[in-house]
Amino acid sequence: MGTRNAMHEKAGFLPYLACLVAATLWGLLWYPLRLLEAGGLPGVWATLLIYLAALIAILPFLRREAIRIKNPRLLLGLALAAGWTNLAFVLAMLEGTVVRVLLLFYLSPVWAILLARLFLHEMITRQSIQNLIIAGTGAVILLWNGRDVFGGPMDLADMLALTSGMAFAVTNLLVRKIGDIPMQNKMLAAWVGVIVLCVPGILLGGGGVPDFSPGPVGLAIAVGVFGMVLMTYTAQYGVTHLPLQKSAVIFLFEVPVGAVSAALLSAETISYPEYAGGALVMLAAWRTSSRH
């Protein structure tokens, strides 16, 4: 513990800045994604190009021990969970409104409580129960949307955002079960998982091969090489050098970044029920992240 605290003190302000940079970039990711879609590059194809470009960009910097596979089954599960987290998040951003997707994604701390109880046998405290109730109420308000939330079909964007948050909680659970692994392993697992999941998405989605115009393709490569690498590295750096509860709270900055950018760049509006539900979800996420 003393060594880890010393590492936090030595790192100084940089981990906080790294978390803020990562949260800001993730909150802005929706914009280039929609530019790519408008340019004729559908969501799954854009995702495939972005993550392929990111993967190729870091290959020269990998160390031999980063590619060594330990716990292959858990690492495979990590790849699939992290892959769906990213793919579903991207597709949800293209299908739905930015703030709504972000808020539903940030139910992930709630899923983490339940998964920790089921698989790690962690006790559910009174505060955890309160957080589950708060987040559940916020989710119902968000999903109500003027219809019977339990009877009517959910929007595709809502389902993608919810399952992305669930997969994110599974990803964190698997990282904990695997133990300490190099940052490159986690980046490789996540990006390879996205690429693998894109293949059935393309095959099942139909529509054929899009017209790979130089502009959209160049933008996708730039988002992957510069944006995705920077987002992932800064997030991993922040999480590595800060206590988990601190980094998790800072990452909530992604929501206001998404809200402001969506209002300015796409004229998206937020309804009063979404304000109310979103406030409850954010409160539950903050309480869960800062419970220690």
Side-chain angles (χ1 to χ4, degrees):
M1 180 67 72
T3 303
R4 190 164 180 81
N5 288 336
M7 181 175 66
H8 296 160
E9 293 176 2
K10 184 178 179 180
F13 181 70
L14 280 179
Y16 296 92
L17 179 62
C19 288
L20 283 174
V21 169
T24 300
L25 292 174
W26 278 108
L28 294 172
L29 180 62
W30 67 272
Y31 187 64
L33 291 173
R34 293 190 181 179
L35 289 179
L36 290 172
E37 188 177 51
L41 206 56
V44 180
W45 281 100
T47 305
L48 179 62
L49 287 180
I50 288 170
Y51 283 90
L52 270 175
L55 183 63
I56 293 171
I58 69 164
L59 286 179
F61 303 98
L62 290 180
R63 297 172 298 175
R64 181 176 300 176
E65 59 269 25
I67 310 175
R68 191 175 302 155
I69 298 178
K70 298 179 180 179
N71 301 316
R73 292 183 180 178
L74 290 179
L75 199 60
L76 175 61
L78 175 62
L80 294 176
W84 182 250
T85 298
N86 289 274
L87 178 59
F89 183 82
V90 168
L91 296 179
M93 281 293 185
L94 293 173
E95 289 286 337
T97 56
V98 174
V99 176
R100 186 180 181 87
V101 168
L102 289 173
L103 290 172
L104 290 173
F105 174 82
Y106 271 105
L107 286 169
S108 56
V110 175
W111 311 129
I113 293 173
L114 299 175
L115 288 171
R117 174 57 184 162
L118 288 173
F119 296 103
L120 300 179
H121 307 293
E122 294 184 359
M123 294 297 297
I124 295 183
T125 64
R126 179 179 299 177
Q127 181 171 338
S128 296
I129 295 174
Q130 293 172 353
N131 293 340
L132 289 172
I133 294 172
I134 293 171
T137 303
V140 169
I141 295 173
L142 275 172
L143 295 172
W144 188 274
N145 200 25
R147 61 170 183 262
D148 181 2
V149 68
F150 299 109
M154 289 179 58
D155 292 339
L156 176 59
D158 292 343
M159 293 181 63
L160 289 168
L162 279 172
T163 56
S164 176
M166 292 177 183
F168 184 63
V170 173
T171 300
N172 291 336
L173 173 73
L174 289 173
V175 167
R176 291 177 62 183
K177 287 185 71 69
I178 291 173
D180 292 331
I181 58 176
M183 186 185 302
Q184 293 96 326
N185 285 65
K186 291 181 279 188
M187 293 170 69
L188 276 175
W191 294 350
V192 169
V194 175
I195 293 167
V196 169
L197 291 176
C198 280
V199 175
I202 289 171
L203 295 176
L204 295 174
V209 179
D211 181 19
F212 289 107
S213 303
V217 171
L219 177 58
I221 293 174
V223 171
V225 172
F226 301 106
M228 191 57 61
V229 171
L230 182 59
M231 285 188 289
T232 304
Y233 182 82
T234 51
Q236 294 288 351
Y237 181 86
V239 170
T240 301
H241 292 86
L242 284 178
L244 182 61
Q245 62 270 22
K246 285 189 177 182
S247 61
V249 170
I250 297 172
F251 284 140
L252 292 175
F253 185 63
E254 179 182 347
V255 176
V257 169
V260 172
S261 62
L264 293 176
L265 298 173
S266 72
E268 285 189 4
T269 58
I270 307 173
S271 66
Y272 288 115
E274 287 176 332
Y275 274 119
L280 290 175
V281 169
M282 291 283 285
L283 174 62
W286 175 78
R287 281 168 55 93
T288 302
S289 302
S290 59
R291 65 184 183 277
H292 299 303

